[in-house]
Each structure stands twice: as structure tokens, then as C-alpha cells.
Amino acid sequence: MTQPVTLGGRPTMPPPGVPSEELLIARFRGHARRLFWSAIVLIAVFGATAYFYDNIPAPFEDWMLLSAAGGLVLVLVIVPYIVWYSRTVTVTTRRVIVRHGIGAQSRREMSHARGYTIGVRRGVLQRMWGTGTISLSNGVDAPLRLANVPNVTLVHETLADQIEVSQILAHRDAQSGSDTASF
């Protein structure tokens, strides 16, 4: 019987024929730079409300000012934050999972073992912020697009490593299965 390869007492690869457990590698959201304008709106609304409170022209009242400020904050600050917060990308040792949605959630997955191509696009602003857009395409399904990924080069390298490891394990398991069948 072969012993699993270990690193510091922790197995790095399971023995042939044993399914590997799915481990979490990373979970992230798109870069929060999308919330920049929401922050500017929040500051401006609070400043304008503080300035005009008890200083409103005759036909208007303070409750109207507070209602308008609350509506602006709800539509231009809270809703964009909830939309940003509801979109997550999870990278595990077996797959990439993209979830988004507030009421009804949508989920897409792409398996590392099937293999896929990784495309990275970085615009000028994305390079300034250290982000980028990653497109994952396996040639069968529609490409999986991850927009405004923080630390895009690190995520790209991690995904490439996971594809390689998953394909090595799948090939090794296929080889070990055919070796035992020939005896």
C-alpha cells in the first residue's frame, strides 16, 4: 500500500482511488470600487440634509426633507450595497462557484477536472485598482465571467494550479483503475 504524500504531517494528495475531499480555497466578492459613487451620494445627502434642516423655504417642511433624503439613501446607497454583497465567488479544490441574487439566487459552477481556459482582461482603471475580469470557458457551456476580481493575478494563478492538480489526480486515478483491472 502506498502512503499519501505529506507536507508537515498533512496529506497533500489522497492515495490513488480515494476521492479527495473538497476544500475551500477562496471566497471573494467583486472589488468594492463600485460603491464609490454610493459613498459620495451618502456624504452629499447627509451634508445637504444637515444644512437645510430647520432652514427650508416656506411651502416645504422638515419631514419632506427627511423623506427625500431617506429615499435617496435607500435607492442610491443601500440597494447598490445589497446587490454588491449578494454576489460571491467561491473557489474550492474541485470547482468554481458563482452565486448572485437577492430574492431568488442563481448559481453557476465550473469543474476544475473538466478543464477550461482562463482569460484575463484588465482595463486602465482595473490596473490602477489591482483588479481585472476573468473569463472561464470550457468550450461547451457559456463562459463564466468574473468581473472586478481583486488580486486578479493571484486568482488566475490559483485557478491554473487547481486545473492542473485536478487533471493530474483524475489521470492518476484513471491509470490506477486500469492497472488494477489488468491483474
Side-chain angles (χ1 to χ4, degrees):
M1 181 171 161
T2 61
Q3 295 294 323
V5 178
T6 61
L7 178 65
R10 188 170 170 228
T12 57
M13 282 200 249
V18 176
S20 60
E21 65 176 306
E22 186 171 23
L23 301 173
L24 176 68
I25 295 174
R27 182 174 290 134
F28 57 90
R29 291 178 172 74
H31 197 275
R33 71 185 171 99
R34 294 180 155 263
L35 300 175
F36 173 78
W37 291 110
S38 294
I40 297 297
V41 167
L42 184 66
I43 293 167
V45 166
F46 278 126
T49 303
Y51 178 77
F52 286 114
Y53 192 78
D54 280 340
N55 194 18
I56 298 180
F60 301 107
E61 295 184 23
D62 287 337
W63 67 268
M64 293 177 180
L65 173 68
L66 295 177
S67 297
L72 283 174
V73 168
L74 177 68
V75 172
L76 298 176
V77 178
I78 295 175
V79 170
Y81 176 78
I82 291 172
V83 168
W84 171 80
Y85 194 76
S86 69
R87 296 178 182 182
T88 60
V89 177
T90 305
V91 179
T92 69
T93 53
R94 291 189 187 164
R95 58 197 165 161
V96 177
I97 306 164
V98 177
R99 290 185 184 143
H100 62 88
I102 298 169
Q105 280 203 343
S106 176
R107 174 180 169 149
R108 286 196 57 201
E109 296 182 10
M110 193 162 289
S111 173
H112 299 309
R114 287 187 67 187
Y116 49 82
T117 60
I118 304 170
V120 177
R121 187 183 64 77
R122 297 178 75 187
V124 175
L125 287 175
Q126 288 178 323
R127 283 195 300 265
M128 286 175 43
W129 288 90
T131 65
T133 300
I134 296 179
S135 297
L136 308 176
S137 177
N138 61 7
V140 177
D141 302 322
L144 188 59
R145 188 172 170 269
L146 313 174
N148 293 316
V149 175
N151 295 325
V152 70
T153 54
L154 179 63
V155 173
H156 175 265
E157 291 170 3
T158 302
L159 291 173
D161 289 346
Q162 287 307 307
I163 292 171
E164 185 176 354
V165 168
S166 293
Q167 290 181 345
I168 288 171
L169 288 175
H171 180 72
R172 184 195 67 180
D173 289 345
Q175 290 297 321
S176 69
S178 64
D179 291 345
T180 57
S182 63
F183 287 115

